[in-house]
Short mmCIF file of all heavy atoms in Angstrom, two decimals:
data_model
loop_
_atom_site.label_atom_id
_atom_site.label_comp_id
_atom_site.label_asym_id
_atom_site.label_seq_id
_atom_site.Cartn_x
_atom_site.Cartn_y
_atom_site.Cartn_z
N VAL W 41 72.39 106.07 76.04
CA VAL W 41 71.48 105.39 76.96
C VAL W 41 70.37 106.38 77.35
O VAL W 41 70.59 107.59 77.41
CB VAL W 41 72.24 104.88 78.20
CG1 VAL W 41 72.86 106.03 78.99
CG2 VAL W 41 71.36 104.01 79.08
N GLN W 42 69.19 105.83 77.61
CA GLN W 42 68.09 106.69 78.07
C GLN W 42 68.23 107.04 79.55
O GLN W 42 68.83 106.26 80.30
CB GLN W 42 66.78 105.99 77.82
CG GLN W 42 66.37 105.90 76.36
CD GLN W 42 64.95 105.39 76.17
OE1 GLN W 42 64.49 104.56 76.97
NE2 GLN W 42 64.26 105.86 75.15
N ALA W 43 67.66 108.13 79.93
CA ALA W 43 67.67 108.53 81.32
C ALA W 43 67.09 107.40 82.17
O ALA W 43 66.10 106.76 81.80
CB ALA W 43 66.87 109.80 81.52
N GLY W 44 67.74 107.16 83.29
CA GLY W 44 67.34 106.04 84.13
C GLY W 44 68.07 104.75 83.86
O GLY W 44 68.00 103.80 84.63
N GLY W 45 68.79 104.72 82.74
CA GLY W 45 69.51 103.50 82.35
C GLY W 45 70.87 103.38 83.05
O GLY W 45 71.25 104.21 83.89
N SER W 46 71.57 102.33 82.69
CA SER W 46 72.85 102.00 83.32
C SER W 46 73.90 101.69 82.27
O SER W 46 73.58 101.27 81.15
CB SER W 46 72.71 100.79 84.24
OG SER W 46 71.77 101.03 85.26
N LEU W 47 75.15 101.91 82.63
CA LEU W 47 76.29 101.56 81.78
C LEU W 47 77.41 101.16 82.69
O LEU W 47 77.53 101.64 83.83
CB LEU W 47 76.75 102.74 80.92
CG LEU W 47 76.06 103.07 79.60
CD1 LEU W 47 76.68 104.32 79.01
CD2 LEU W 47 76.12 101.90 78.66
N SER W 48 78.29 100.31 82.19
CA SER W 48 79.53 100.01 82.88
C SER W 48 80.69 100.37 81.97
O SER W 48 80.79 99.86 80.83
CB SER W 48 79.59 98.52 83.26
OG SER W 48 78.70 98.25 84.33
N LEU W 49 81.54 101.21 82.44
CA LEU W 49 82.71 101.64 81.71
C LEU W 49 83.92 100.82 82.19
O LEU W 49 84.01 100.49 83.38
CB LEU W 49 82.99 103.11 81.91
CG LEU W 49 81.81 104.06 81.63
CD1 LEU W 49 82.28 105.51 81.83
CD2 LEU W 49 81.24 103.84 80.24
N ARG W 67 85.40 113.05 84.20
CA ARG W 67 84.52 113.28 83.08
C ARG W 67 84.52 114.76 82.69
O ARG W 67 84.81 115.63 83.51
CB ARG W 67 83.08 112.83 83.41
CG ARG W 67 82.35 113.72 84.44
CD ARG W 67 80.98 113.16 84.72
NE ARG W 67 80.23 114.04 85.60
CZ ARG W 67 79.02 113.77 86.06
NH1 ARG W 67 78.41 112.62 85.71
NH2 ARG W 67 78.40 114.62 86.85
N GLU W 75 86.13 117.02 85.57
CA GLU W 75 85.92 116.85 87.03
C GLU W 75 86.15 115.41 87.45
O GLU W 75 85.94 114.48 86.67
CB GLU W 75 84.50 117.29 87.40
CG GLU W 75 83.38 116.46 86.78
CD GLU W 75 82.00 116.88 87.25
OE1 GLU W 75 81.88 117.67 88.22
OE2 GLU W 75 81.00 116.43 86.63
N GLY W 76 86.57 115.26 88.69
CA GLY W 76 86.79 113.94 89.23
C GLY W 76 85.49 113.24 89.52
O GLY W 76 84.55 113.85 90.06
N VAL W 77 85.42 111.96 89.20
CA VAL W 77 84.23 111.15 89.45
C VAL W 77 84.49 110.19 90.61
O VAL W 77 83.75 110.14 91.59
CB VAL W 77 83.79 110.40 88.19
CG1 VAL W 77 82.62 109.48 88.52
CG2 VAL W 77 83.43 111.35 87.09
N SER W 78 85.56 109.42 90.50
CA SER W 78 85.86 108.44 91.52
C SER W 78 87.29 107.96 91.35
O SER W 78 87.93 108.20 90.32
CB SER W 78 84.90 107.26 91.45
OG SER W 78 85.04 106.59 90.21
N HIS W 88 87.04 106.10 96.42
CA HIS W 88 86.63 107.49 96.69
C HIS W 88 85.63 107.91 95.64
O HIS W 88 85.81 107.61 94.47
CB HIS W 88 87.86 108.42 96.65
CG HIS W 88 88.97 107.99 97.53
ND1 HIS W 88 89.17 108.51 98.79
CD2 HIS W 88 89.98 107.09 97.35
CE1 HIS W 88 90.23 107.96 99.33
NE2 HIS W 88 90.74 107.09 98.49
N TYR W 89 84.64 108.61 96.08
CA TYR W 89 83.64 109.14 95.15
C TYR W 89 83.53 110.64 95.36
O TYR W 89 83.37 111.13 96.48
CB TYR W 89 82.28 108.44 95.38
CG TYR W 89 82.37 106.95 95.12
CD1 TYR W 89 82.53 106.06 96.21
CD2 TYR W 89 82.30 106.46 93.84
CE1 TYR W 89 82.65 104.70 95.95
CE2 TYR W 89 82.40 105.08 93.60
CZ TYR W 89 82.57 104.22 94.66
OH TYR W 89 82.68 102.86 94.40
N TYR W 90 83.62 111.38 94.25
CA TYR W 90 83.74 112.83 94.33
C TYR W 90 82.48 113.58 93.94
O TYR W 90 82.44 114.79 94.06
CB TYR W 90 84.91 113.30 93.47
CG TYR W 90 86.20 112.64 93.84
CD1 TYR W 90 86.93 111.90 92.92
CD2 TYR W 90 86.71 112.72 95.15
CE1 TYR W 90 88.12 111.27 93.27
CE2 TYR W 90 87.89 112.11 95.50
CZ TYR W 90 88.61 111.39 94.55
OH TYR W 90 89.77 110.80 94.91
N LEU W 91 81.47 112.89 93.48
CA LEU W 91 80.23 113.55 93.15
C LEU W 91 79.24 113.35 94.28
O LEU W 91 79.28 112.33 94.96
CB LEU W 91 79.69 112.99 91.85
CG LEU W 91 80.60 113.13 90.63
CD1 LEU W 91 79.95 112.51 89.41
CD2 LEU W 91 80.94 114.57 90.38
N PRO W 92 78.33 114.30 94.49
CA PRO W 92 77.43 114.20 95.64
C PRO W 92 76.49 113.00 95.59
O PRO W 92 76.14 112.45 96.60
CB PRO W 92 76.67 115.52 95.63
CG PRO W 92 76.84 116.06 94.26
CD PRO W 92 78.13 115.54 93.74
N GLU W 93 76.12 112.60 94.38
CA GLU W 93 75.18 111.49 94.31
C GLU W 93 75.93 110.17 94.44
O GLU W 93 77.12 110.10 94.22
CB GLU W 93 74.41 111.51 92.99
CG GLU W 93 75.23 111.35 91.77
CD GLU W 93 75.78 112.66 91.24
OE1 GLU W 93 75.80 113.63 91.99
OE2 GLU W 93 76.23 112.69 90.10
N SER W 94 75.22 109.14 94.79
CA SER W 94 75.85 107.80 94.99
C SER W 94 75.37 106.83 93.93
O SER W 94 75.04 105.70 94.25
CB SER W 94 75.55 107.31 96.39
OG SER W 94 74.16 107.21 96.57
N ARG W 95 75.32 107.29 92.70
CA ARG W 95 74.80 106.41 91.64
C ARG W 95 75.92 105.65 90.94
O ARG W 95 75.67 104.84 90.05
CB ARG W 95 74.02 107.26 90.62
CG ARG W 95 72.80 107.92 91.22
CD ARG W 95 72.06 108.79 90.19
NE ARG W 95 72.82 109.99 89.89
CZ ARG W 95 73.38 110.23 88.71
NH1 ARG W 95 73.30 109.36 87.73
NH2 ARG W 95 74.02 111.37 88.50
N PHE W 96 77.17 105.95 91.30
CA PHE W 96 78.30 105.34 90.61
C PHE W 96 79.10 104.48 91.60
O PHE W 96 79.27 104.83 92.75
CB PHE W 96 79.25 106.43 90.07
CG PHE W 96 78.60 107.42 89.13
CD1 PHE W 96 79.16 108.65 88.88
CD2 PHE W 96 77.42 107.11 88.48
CE1 PHE W 96 78.58 109.55 88.04
CE2 PHE W 96 76.83 107.98 87.59
CZ PHE W 96 77.42 109.24 87.37
N THR W 97 79.58 103.37 91.11
CA THR W 97 80.40 102.48 91.94
C THR W 97 81.59 101.98 91.12
O THR W 97 81.55 101.94 89.88
CB THR W 97 79.60 101.26 92.46
OG1 THR W 97 79.04 100.55 91.36
CG2 THR W 97 78.52 101.67 93.42
N LEU W 98 82.62 101.57 91.84
CA LEU W 98 83.85 101.06 91.21
C LEU W 98 84.02 99.60 91.53
O LEU W 98 83.64 99.12 92.61
CB LEU W 98 85.05 101.80 91.75
CG LEU W 98 85.30 103.25 91.31
CD1 LEU W 98 86.49 103.82 92.08
CD2 LEU W 98 85.55 103.31 89.83
N SER W 99 84.65 98.90 90.60
CA SER W 99 85.13 97.54 90.89
C SER W 99 86.39 97.31 90.06
O SER W 99 86.76 98.12 89.19
CB SER W 99 84.07 96.49 90.52
OG SER W 99 83.81 96.47 89.14
N TYR W 108 86.53 99.11 86.63
CA TYR W 108 85.20 99.37 86.08
C TYR W 108 84.54 100.53 86.84
O TYR W 108 84.61 100.59 88.08
CB TYR W 108 84.35 98.13 86.19
CG TYR W 108 84.90 96.94 85.44
CD1 TYR W 108 85.67 95.99 86.09
CD2 TYR W 108 84.64 96.77 84.07
CE1 TYR W 108 86.16 94.90 85.40
CE2 TYR W 108 85.16 95.66 83.41
CZ TYR W 108 85.92 94.74 84.08
OH TYR W 108 86.44 93.66 83.41
N LEU W 109 83.85 101.35 86.09
CA LEU W 109 82.97 102.36 86.68
C LEU W 109 81.55 102.03 86.28
O LEU W 109 81.20 102.05 85.11
CB LEU W 109 83.35 103.78 86.17
CG LEU W 109 82.48 104.92 86.69
CD1 LEU W 109 82.64 105.11 88.19
CD2 LEU W 109 82.79 106.23 85.97
N HIS W 110 80.75 101.70 87.27
CA HIS W 110 79.36 101.31 87.03
C HIS W 110 78.47 102.52 87.27
O HIS W 110 78.46 103.07 88.36
CB HIS W 110 78.95 100.15 87.95
CG HIS W 110 79.87 98.98 87.87
ND1 HIS W 110 79.84 98.07 86.83
CD2 HIS W 110 80.89 98.58 88.71
CE1 HIS W 110 80.80 97.16 87.04
NE2 HIS W 110 81.43 97.44 88.16
N LEU W 111 77.76 102.90 86.22
CA LEU W 111 76.88 104.06 86.31
C LEU W 111 75.43 103.57 86.29
O LEU W 111 75.05 102.79 85.42
CB LEU W 111 77.10 104.97 85.07
CG LEU W 111 78.54 105.24 84.65
CD1 LEU W 111 78.56 106.04 83.34
CD2 LEU W 111 79.27 106.01 85.74
N LYS W 112 74.62 104.06 87.20
CA LYS W 112 73.22 103.67 87.23
C LYS W 112 72.34 104.93 87.37
O LYS W 112 72.82 105.98 87.77
CB LYS W 112 72.94 102.66 88.31
CG LYS W 112 73.13 103.19 89.71
CD LYS W 112 72.78 102.14 90.75
CE LYS W 112 72.93 102.67 92.16
NZ LYS W 112 72.59 101.64 93.19
N ASN W 113 71.05 104.72 87.06
CA ASN W 113 70.09 105.84 87.15
C ASN W 113 70.66 107.08 86.44
O ASN W 113 70.63 108.19 87.00
CB ASN W 113 69.75 106.16 88.59
CG ASN W 113 69.05 105.00 89.26
OD1 ASN W 113 68.30 104.27 88.65
ND2 ASN W 113 69.26 104.87 90.58
N LEU W 114 71.16 106.91 85.24
CA LEU W 114 71.82 107.99 84.53
C LEU W 114 70.83 109.11 84.22
O LEU W 114 69.64 108.88 83.98
CB LEU W 114 72.46 107.45 83.27
CG LEU W 114 73.76 106.70 83.50
CD1 LEU W 114 74.12 105.81 82.32
CD2 LEU W 114 74.89 107.67 83.81
N GLU W 115 71.39 110.32 84.26
CA GLU W 115 70.62 111.51 83.97
C GLU W 115 71.27 112.26 82.81
O GLU W 115 72.45 112.07 82.55
CB GLU W 115 70.62 112.42 85.23
CG GLU W 115 70.05 111.77 86.47
CD GLU W 115 70.26 112.59 87.73
OE1 GLU W 115 70.96 113.61 87.65
OE2 GLU W 115 69.71 112.20 88.78
N PRO W 116 70.52 113.08 82.09
CA PRO W 116 71.09 113.83 80.99
C PRO W 116 72.35 114.64 81.37
O PRO W 116 73.26 114.78 80.57
CB PRO W 116 69.94 114.74 80.55
CG PRO W 116 68.71 113.95 80.86
CD PRO W 116 69.04 113.25 82.17
N ASP W 117 72.39 115.13 82.61
CA ASP W 117 73.55 115.87 83.05
C ASP W 117 74.81 114.99 83.20
O ASP W 117 75.91 115.52 83.40
CB ASP W 117 73.27 116.57 84.39
CG ASP W 117 72.43 117.80 84.23
OD1 ASP W 117 72.25 118.27 83.07
OD2 ASP W 117 71.91 118.33 85.23
N ASP W 118 74.63 113.70 83.12
CA ASP W 118 75.79 112.80 83.15
C ASP W 118 76.46 112.68 81.78
O ASP W 118 77.50 112.02 81.67
CB ASP W 118 75.37 111.41 83.64
CG ASP W 118 74.89 111.40 85.07
OD1 ASP W 118 75.50 112.09 85.90
OD2 ASP W 118 73.87 110.71 85.36
N THR W 119 75.85 113.26 80.77
CA THR W 119 76.45 113.23 79.43
C THR W 119 77.82 113.90 79.46
O THR W 119 77.94 115.06 79.85
CB THR W 119 75.53 113.95 78.43
OG1 THR W 119 74.32 113.19 78.30
CG2 THR W 119 76.22 114.05 77.04
N ALA W 120 78.83 113.15 79.03
CA ALA W 120 80.19 113.64 79.08
C ALA W 120 81.12 112.62 78.43
O ALA W 120 80.72 111.47 78.19
CB ALA W 120 80.65 113.88 80.52
N TYR W 122 84.06 110.36 79.38
CA TYR W 122 84.61 109.80 80.61
C TYR W 122 86.01 109.31 80.35
O TYR W 122 86.25 108.56 79.38
CB TYR W 122 83.70 108.67 81.13
CG TYR W 122 82.43 109.17 81.77
CD1 TYR W 122 81.41 109.72 81.00
CD2 TYR W 122 82.25 109.14 83.16
CE1 TYR W 122 80.26 110.22 81.57
CE2 TYR W 122 81.10 109.62 83.74
CZ TYR W 122 80.10 110.17 82.95
OH TYR W 122 78.96 110.66 83.52
N VAL W 146 79.73 109.09 76.88
CA VAL W 146 78.46 108.65 77.43
C VAL W 146 77.43 109.74 77.11
O VAL W 146 77.61 110.89 77.46
CB VAL W 146 78.53 108.41 78.94
CG1 VAL W 146 77.15 108.12 79.49
CG2 VAL W 146 79.49 107.28 79.26
N THR W 147 76.38 109.35 76.43
CA THR W 147 75.32 110.28 76.08
C THR W 147 74.01 109.76 76.69
O THR W 147 73.62 108.62 76.42
CB THR W 147 75.15 110.42 74.56
OG1 THR W 147 76.39 110.83 73.99
CG2 THR W 147 74.09 111.46 74.24
N VAL W 148 73.39 110.59 77.52
CA VAL W 148 72.15 110.21 78.18
C VAL W 148 71.03 111.06 77.59
O VAL W 148 71.05 112.28 77.68
CB VAL W 148 72.25 110.40 79.69
CG1 VAL W 148 70.97 109.90 80.36
CG2 VAL W 148 73.46 109.69 80.27
N SER W 149 70.05 110.39 77.01
CA SER W 149 68.93 111.12 76.40
C SER W 149 67.77 111.17 77.40
O SER W 149 67.59 110.27 78.22
CB SER W 149 68.47 110.37 75.13
OG SER W 149 68.01 109.09 75.44
#
Side-chain angles (χ1 to χ4, degrees):
V41 63
Q42 287 188 328
S46 301
L47 277 177
S48 287
L49 308 182
R67 70 182 185 182
E75 63 178 347
V77 176
S78 63
H88 306 264
Y89 298 98
Y90 303 122
L91 301 179
E93 63 273 17
S94 58
R95 297 179 288 112
F96 303 160
T97 56
L98 287 174
S99 65
Y108 300 95
L109 178 66
H110 306 282
L111 316 174
K112 66 178 182 180
N113 296 328
L114 284 161
E115 302 171 353
D117 283 348
D118 295 319
T119 294
Y122 285 72
V146 173
T147 303
V148 184
S149 63

